[in-house]
Protein backbone atom coordinates (compact mmCIF):
# COMPACT_ATOMS: atom_id res chain seq x y z
CA UNK A 1 0.00 0.00 0.00
CA UNK A 2 1.13 3.57 -0.59
CA UNK A 3 1.41 5.72 2.50
CA UNK A 4 2.85 8.80 0.88
CA UNK A 5 -0.40 10.75 0.62
CA UNK A 6 -0.72 13.92 2.67
CA UNK A 7 -4.39 13.71 3.61
CA UNK A 8 -5.23 11.87 6.85
CA UNK A 9 -5.21 8.08 6.64
CA UNK A 10 -8.49 6.24 6.99
CA UNK A 11 -9.01 3.85 9.93
CA UNK A 12 -8.59 0.91 7.56
CA UNK A 13 -5.31 2.29 6.20
CA UNK A 14 -4.02 2.75 9.75
CA UNK A 15 -4.94 -0.83 10.67
CA UNK A 16 -3.41 -2.23 7.45
CA UNK A 17 -0.14 -0.33 7.96
CA UNK A 18 0.06 -1.38 11.60
CA UNK A 19 -0.49 -5.04 10.71
CA UNK A 20 2.48 -4.99 8.33
CA UNK A 21 4.61 -3.24 10.90
CA UNK A 22 3.73 -5.76 13.63
CA UNK A 23 4.39 -8.76 11.42
CA UNK A 24 7.76 -7.27 10.53
CA UNK A 25 8.60 -6.81 14.24
CA UNK A 26 8.13 -10.49 15.09
CA UNK A 27 11.51 -11.57 13.65
CA UNK A 28 13.26 -8.91 15.75
CA UNK A 29 11.62 -10.14 18.95
CA UNK A 30 12.64 -13.69 18.13
CA UNK A 31 16.33 -12.66 18.21
CA UNK A 32 16.04 -11.32 21.75
CA UNK A 33 17.02 -13.16 24.94
CA UNK A 34 13.50 -12.62 26.21
CA UNK A 35 12.18 -14.97 23.52
CA UNK A 36 14.58 -17.71 24.66
CA UNK A 37 13.61 -17.18 28.28
CA UNK A 38 9.88 -17.37 27.43
CA UNK A 39 10.45 -20.66 25.60
CA UNK A 40 12.38 -22.00 28.57
CA UNK A 41 9.86 -20.61 31.05
CA UNK A 42 6.76 -22.06 29.42
CA UNK A 43 8.41 -25.48 29.32
CA UNK A 44 8.00 -25.44 33.12
CA UNK A 45 4.56 -26.36 34.51
CA UNK A 46 2.58 -23.42 35.89
CA UNK A 47 4.92 -20.77 34.45
CA UNK A 48 3.52 -17.21 34.48
CA UNK A 49 4.79 -13.82 33.36
CA UNK A 50 1.99 -11.97 35.14
CA UNK A 51 2.98 -9.52 37.84
CA UNK A 52 1.55 -9.49 41.38
CA UNK A 53 -1.10 -6.85 40.52
CA UNK A 54 -2.53 -8.73 37.56
CA UNK A 55 -2.30 -12.12 39.26
CA UNK A 56 -4.12 -10.92 42.38
CA UNK A 57 -6.88 -9.15 40.42
CA UNK A 58 -7.48 -12.13 38.15
CA UNK A 59 -7.53 -14.50 41.10
CA UNK A 60 -10.05 -12.21 42.84
CA UNK A 61 -12.29 -12.40 39.75
CA UNK A 62 -11.67 -16.16 39.65
CA UNK A 63 -10.32 -18.12 36.69
CA UNK A 64 -11.52 -21.61 37.46
CA UNK A 65 -14.01 -22.81 34.85
CA UNK A 66 -13.69 -19.56 32.90
CA UNK A 67 -13.38 -19.24 29.14
CA UNK A 68 -10.79 -16.48 28.65
CA UNK A 69 -10.00 -14.45 25.54
CA UNK A 70 -7.06 -12.10 25.09
CA UNK A 71 -7.62 -9.29 22.60
CA UNK A 72 -4.41 -8.35 20.77
CA UNK A 73 -2.52 -11.16 22.46
CA UNK A 74 0.81 -10.76 20.59
CA UNK A 75 2.91 -13.87 21.42
CA UNK A 76 0.32 -14.94 24.03
CA UNK A 77 2.75 -14.87 26.94
CA UNK A 78 0.01 -13.43 29.16
CA UNK A 79 -2.77 -15.62 27.79
CA UNK A 80 -0.72 -18.79 28.37
CA UNK A 81 0.09 -17.58 31.88
CA UNK A 82 -3.63 -17.16 32.55
CA UNK A 83 -4.23 -20.72 31.32
CA UNK A 84 -1.46 -21.89 33.66
CA UNK A 85 -3.19 -20.02 36.51
CA UNK A 86 -6.25 -22.19 35.97
CA UNK A 87 -8.63 -20.85 33.30
CA UNK A 88 -10.74 -23.49 31.57
CA UNK A 89 -9.76 -22.31 28.10
CA UNK A 90 -7.60 -19.66 26.44
CA UNK A 91 -8.20 -18.01 23.08
CA UNK A 92 -5.90 -15.37 21.66
CA UNK A 93 -6.88 -12.86 18.97
CA UNK A 94 -4.36 -10.79 17.03
CA UNK A 95 -3.88 -9.61 13.45
CA UNK A 96 -0.16 -10.46 13.32
CA UNK A 97 0.19 -14.04 12.10
CA UNK A 98 3.92 -13.97 12.87
CA UNK A 99 3.25 -13.31 16.57
CA UNK A 100 0.47 -15.88 16.76
CA UNK A 101 2.96 -18.42 15.37
CA UNK A 102 5.23 -17.52 18.29
CA UNK A 103 2.27 -18.00 20.64
CA UNK A 104 1.74 -21.48 19.20
CA UNK A 105 5.43 -22.27 19.80
CA UNK A 106 5.22 -21.11 23.43
CA UNK A 107 2.05 -23.15 23.94
CA UNK A 108 3.72 -26.21 22.40
CA UNK A 109 6.78 -25.75 24.65
CA UNK A 110 4.58 -26.23 27.71
CA UNK A 111 1.92 -28.51 26.24
CA UNK A 112 -0.59 -25.74 27.00
CA UNK A 113 -3.94 -25.89 25.25
CA UNK A 114 -4.82 -22.59 23.57
CA UNK A 115 -6.54 -21.39 20.41
CA UNK A 116 -5.30 -18.59 18.20
CA UNK A 117 -7.40 -16.55 15.82
CA UNK A 118 -5.80 -14.26 13.25
CA UNK A 119 -7.51 -11.11 11.99
CA UNK A 120 -8.37 -7.51 12.73
CA UNK A 121 -9.79 -7.40 16.24
CA UNK A 122 -12.95 -5.71 15.01
CA UNK A 123 -13.61 -8.55 12.58
CA UNK A 124 -13.69 -11.44 15.04
CA UNK A 125 -16.05 -13.99 13.44
CA UNK A 126 -19.59 -14.23 14.84
CA UNK A 127 -18.85 -17.85 15.95
CA UNK A 128 -17.12 -16.29 18.96
CA UNK A 129 -20.09 -14.14 20.01
CA UNK A 130 -21.13 -14.68 23.64
CA UNK A 131 -18.45 -17.33 24.20
CA UNK A 132 -16.20 -15.83 26.90
CA UNK A 133 -16.47 -15.19 30.64
CA UNK A 134 -13.45 -12.93 30.62
CA UNK A 135 -11.72 -10.84 27.95
CA UNK A 136 -8.28 -9.46 28.74
CA UNK A 137 -6.45 -6.46 27.29
CA UNK A 138 -2.93 -5.62 28.41
CA UNK A 139 0.02 -3.28 27.87
CA UNK A 140 0.02 -1.28 24.71
CA UNK A 141 -3.21 -2.12 22.90
CA UNK A 142 -5.49 0.93 22.88
CA UNK A 143 -3.02 3.11 20.99
CA UNK A 144 -3.40 0.83 17.96
CA UNK A 145 -7.17 1.30 17.92
CA UNK A 146 -8.46 4.12 15.71
CA UNK A 147 -11.93 3.57 17.19
CA UNK A 148 -12.21 2.67 20.88
CA UNK A 149 -16.00 2.38 20.82
CA UNK A 150 -15.73 -0.22 18.06
CA UNK A 151 -13.08 -2.09 20.04
CA UNK A 152 -15.23 -2.22 23.19
CA UNK A 153 -18.27 -3.23 21.15
CA UNK A 154 -16.25 -6.21 19.88
CA UNK A 155 -15.20 -7.10 23.42
CA UNK A 156 -18.82 -6.88 24.54
CA UNK A 157 -19.99 -9.01 21.62
CA UNK A 158 -17.71 -11.95 22.46
CA UNK A 159 -18.54 -11.90 26.19
CA UNK A 160 -21.31 -13.89 27.84
CA UNK A 161 -23.95 -11.84 29.68
CA UNK A 162 -22.28 -10.58 32.87
CA UNK A 163 -18.84 -11.38 31.44
CA UNK A 164 -15.92 -9.13 32.32
CA UNK A 165 -13.43 -7.08 30.37
CA UNK A 166 -10.17 -6.86 32.32
CA UNK A 167 -7.85 -4.04 31.22
CA UNK A 168 -4.28 -3.64 32.51
CA UNK A 169 -2.75 -0.90 30.42
CA UNK A 170 -0.03 1.70 30.25
CA UNK A 171 -1.43 4.97 31.56
CA UNK A 172 -2.30 7.29 28.65
CA UNK A 173 -0.34 10.14 30.24
CA UNK A 174 2.74 8.23 29.03
CA UNK A 175 1.86 9.30 25.48
CA UNK A 176 3.34 12.67 26.46
CA UNK A 177 6.79 11.17 27.10
CA UNK A 178 9.39 9.45 24.95
CA UNK A 179 9.62 5.81 25.99
CA UNK A 180 13.43 5.83 26.09
CA UNK A 181 15.41 6.97 29.11
CA UNK A 182 17.24 10.19 28.28
CA UNK A 183 18.56 10.52 31.85
CA UNK A 184 17.15 12.94 34.40
CA UNK A 185 13.53 13.43 35.33
CA UNK A 186 10.99 12.67 32.56
CA UNK A 187 10.12 15.70 30.40
CA UNK A 188 6.94 15.78 28.29
CA UNK A 189 7.39 16.29 24.55
CA UNK A 190 3.81 15.76 23.31
CA UNK A 191 0.41 17.10 24.24
CA UNK A 192 -1.89 14.77 26.18
CA UNK A 193 -4.57 16.04 23.79
CA UNK A 194 -2.77 15.26 20.51
CA UNK A 195 -5.39 14.32 17.93
CA UNK A 196 -3.33 13.20 14.89
CA UNK A 197 -1.90 9.66 14.82
CA UNK A 198 1.76 9.48 15.79
CA UNK A 199 3.82 7.92 12.96
CA UNK A 200 6.92 5.84 13.73
CA UNK A 201 9.36 4.49 11.12
CA UNK A 202 11.91 3.00 13.50
CA UNK A 203 10.11 -0.23 14.28
CA UNK A 204 8.53 -2.01 17.22
CA UNK A 205 11.46 -3.74 18.86
CA UNK A 206 10.58 -2.51 22.33
CA UNK A 207 12.30 -5.55 23.83
CA UNK A 208 15.79 -4.61 22.61
CA UNK A 209 14.91 -0.90 22.21
CA UNK A 210 16.72 -1.21 18.87
CA UNK A 211 15.68 0.91 15.88
CA UNK A 212 15.48 -0.59 12.40
CA UNK A 213 14.33 0.78 9.04
CA UNK A 214 10.71 -0.21 9.48
CA UNK A 215 7.38 -0.09 7.75
CA UNK A 216 5.50 2.86 9.29
CA UNK A 217 3.07 2.36 12.13
CA UNK A 218 0.51 4.73 13.62
CA UNK A 219 -0.27 5.21 17.30
CA UNK A 220 -3.41 7.01 18.44
CA UNK A 221 -3.54 9.05 21.65
CA UNK A 222 -6.61 8.21 23.75
CA UNK A 223 -7.21 10.11 26.97
CA UNK A 224 -8.19 8.28 30.17
CA UNK A 225 -11.62 9.86 29.83
CA UNK A 226 -11.91 8.50 26.25
CA UNK A 227 -11.25 4.98 27.52
CA UNK A 228 -13.67 5.22 30.42
CA UNK A 229 -16.49 6.84 28.49
CA UNK A 230 -16.13 4.48 25.52
CA UNK A 231 -16.33 1.55 27.93
CA UNK A 232 -19.42 2.88 29.70
CA UNK A 233 -21.15 3.98 26.50
CA UNK A 234 -20.64 0.54 24.97
CA UNK A 235 -22.63 -1.14 27.74
CA UNK A 236 -20.15 -1.99 30.48
CA UNK A 237 -20.55 -1.22 34.18
CA UNK A 238 -17.24 -0.27 35.78
CA UNK A 239 -16.39 -2.64 38.64
CA UNK A 240 -12.83 -1.62 39.34
CA UNK A 241 -10.53 1.25 38.39
CA UNK A 242 -7.14 1.97 39.93
CA UNK A 243 -4.10 3.90 38.73
CA UNK A 244 -0.62 2.72 39.76
CA UNK A 245 2.87 4.22 40.03
CA UNK A 246 4.49 1.06 38.64
CA UNK A 247 5.70 0.39 35.11
CA UNK A 248 4.21 -2.51 33.17
CA UNK A 249 5.85 -1.82 29.82
CA UNK A 250 8.95 0.08 28.80
CA UNK A 251 8.92 2.86 31.42
CA UNK A 252 10.98 1.39 34.23
CA UNK A 253 13.08 4.57 34.21
CA UNK A 254 9.96 6.60 35.11
CA UNK A 255 9.35 4.75 38.38
CA UNK A 256 10.37 6.04 41.81
CA UNK A 257 10.33 9.73 40.87
CA UNK A 258 9.89 12.37 43.58
CA UNK A 259 6.75 13.61 41.78
CA UNK A 260 5.43 10.30 40.51
CA UNK A 261 3.29 10.07 37.38
CA UNK A 262 0.71 7.30 37.08
CA UNK A 263 2.32 4.62 34.87
CA UNK A 264 -0.37 1.95 34.64
CA UNK A 265 -3.95 1.21 35.56
CA UNK A 266 -6.49 -1.58 36.00
CA UNK A 267 -10.01 -1.06 34.68
CA UNK A 268 -12.62 -3.79 34.85
CA UNK A 269 -15.99 -3.59 33.10
CA UNK A 270 -18.88 -6.02 33.45
CA UNK A 271 -21.10 -6.57 30.42
CA UNK A 272 -24.54 -5.19 31.15
CA UNK A 273 -27.76 -6.29 29.54
C1 LIG B 1 2.04 -4.09 22.37
S1 LIG B 1 1.35 -5.58 21.74
C2 LIG B 1 0.59 -6.28 23.15
C3 LIG B 1 1.66 -6.84 24.01
C4 LIG B 1 1.21 -7.84 25.01
N1 LIG B 1 0.23 -7.32 25.91
C5 LIG B 1 2.43 -8.28 25.77
O1 LIG B 1 2.75 -7.61 26.78
O2 LIG B 1 3.12 -9.21 25.35
C6 LIG B 1 -0.04 -5.06 20.78
C7 LIG B 1 -0.59 -6.16 19.90
O3 LIG B 1 -1.77 -5.64 19.27
C8 LIG B 1 -1.88 -6.24 18.00
N2 LIG B 1 -2.81 -5.40 17.21
C9 LIG B 1 -2.71 -4.08 16.95
N3 LIG B 1 -3.77 -3.66 16.24
C10 LIG B 1 -4.56 -4.75 16.04
C11 LIG B 1 -5.79 -4.96 15.35
N4 LIG B 1 -6.42 -3.96 14.74
N5 LIG B 1 -6.32 -6.20 15.34
C12 LIG B 1 -5.68 -7.23 15.96
N6 LIG B 1 -4.50 -7.09 16.62
C13 LIG B 1 -3.94 -5.86 16.65
C14 LIG B 1 -0.44 -6.29 17.47
O4 LIG B 1 -0.27 -7.25 16.47
C15 LIG B 1 0.32 -6.63 18.77
O5 LIG B 1 0.53 -8.00 18.87
Amino acid sequence: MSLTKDEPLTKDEIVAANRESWNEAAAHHREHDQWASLLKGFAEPGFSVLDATMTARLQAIGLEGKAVAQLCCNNARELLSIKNLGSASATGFDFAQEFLDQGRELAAAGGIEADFVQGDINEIPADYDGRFDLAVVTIGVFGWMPDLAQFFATARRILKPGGRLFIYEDHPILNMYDDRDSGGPPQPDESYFRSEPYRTDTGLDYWAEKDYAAKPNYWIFHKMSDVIMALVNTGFAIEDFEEFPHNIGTRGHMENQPHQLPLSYVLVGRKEG
Side-chain angles (χ1 to χ4, degrees):
M1 77 186 288
S2 162
L3 290 167
T4 52
K5 64 182 202 173
D6 288 333
E7 67 265 33
L9 298 176
T10 65
K11 290 181 198 173
D12 287 348
E13 285 171 328
I14 289 174
V15 169
N18 288 346
R19 175 169 36 223
E20 288 188 32
S21 191
W22 273 105
N23 272 320
E24 181 186 52
H28 293 271
H29 281 204
R30 200 180 267 287
E31 284 168 14
H32 198 265
D33 291 350
Q34 201 162 323
W35 170 248
S37 77
L38 284 175
L39 268 176
K40 193 163 161 241
F42 279 109
E44 300 295 324
F47 179 74
S48 170
V49 298
L50 306 184
D51 69 9
T53 300
M54 185 159 169
T55 304
R57 303 266 166 155
L58 289 177
Q59 281 171 339
I61 288 171
L63 290 171
E64 202 184 327
K66 301 273 170 71
V68 177
Q70 186 175 7
L71 303 178
C72 303
C73 67
N74 195 259
N75 63 22
R77 66 189 185 109
E78 292 143 326
L79 179 72
L80 299 175
S81 301
I82 290 171
K83 183 72 171 59
N84 278 346
L85 281 178
S87 72
S89 67
T91 307
F93 297 92
D94 202 288
F95 65 11
Q97 185 62 54
E98 304 291 329
F99 276 110
L100 292 182
D101 289 345
Q102 293 184 8
R104 288 192 180 92
E105 281 179 55
L106 294 180
I112 303 165
E113 237 178 84
D115 295 317
F116 297 98
V117 183
Q118 190 274 331
D120 178 8
I121 213 68
N122 296 307
E123 293 170 7
I124 292 178
D127 306 355
Y128 292 96
D129 288 3
R131 286 256 305 266
F132 299 100
D133 300 287
L134 182 66
V136 173
V137 176
T138 65
I139 320 178
V141 169
F142 291 149
W144 304 112
M145 297 301 139
D147 188 336
L148 275 183
Q150 191 184 18
F151 179 83
F152 288 133
T154 302
R156 191 175 187 285
R157 173 165 70 78
I158 65 166
L159 284 170
K160 297 178 185 174
R164 287 185 175 84
L165 176 60
F166 179 92
I167 298 162
Y168 189 32
E169 259 285 14
D170 280 330
H171 199 285
I173 205 163
L174 295 181
N175 287 330
M176 297 174 67
Y177 298 83
D178 195 284
D179 60 358
R180 308 253 168 112
D181 185 4
S182 55
Q187 295 296 332
D189 62 2
E190 284 294 338
S191 167
Y192 184 66
F193 299 94
R194 181 184 170 114
S195 55
E196 317 82 56
Y198 189 97
R199 174 180 167 146
T200 303
D201 299 275
T202 49
L204 288 161
D205 192 0
Y206 48 87
W207 276 3
E209 294 201 339
K210 208 174 67 196
D211 292 346
Y212 54 93
K215 296 182 178 170
N217 61 66
Y218 298 87
W219 177 260
I220 324 282
F221 284 25
H222 298 293
K223 306 185 296 294
M224 197 71 248
S225 52
D226 296 334
V227 174
I228 288 175
M229 290 317 296
L231 185 71
V232 169
N233 289 335
T234 324
F236 285 93
I238 293 180
E239 278 195 335
D240 193 7
F241 176 48
E242 186 173 354
E243 294 158 296
F244 301 109
H246 63 256
N247 162 60
I248 58 170
T250 56
R251 311 294 185 130
H253 57 282
M254 293 176 75
E255 288 183 323
N256 304 314
Q257 298 291 317
H259 308 293
Q260 184 63 50
L261 288 162
L263 301 184
S264 56
Y265 68 95
V266 161
L267 177 61
V268 181
R270 188 168 40 75
K271 176 174 171 172
E272 290 194 302

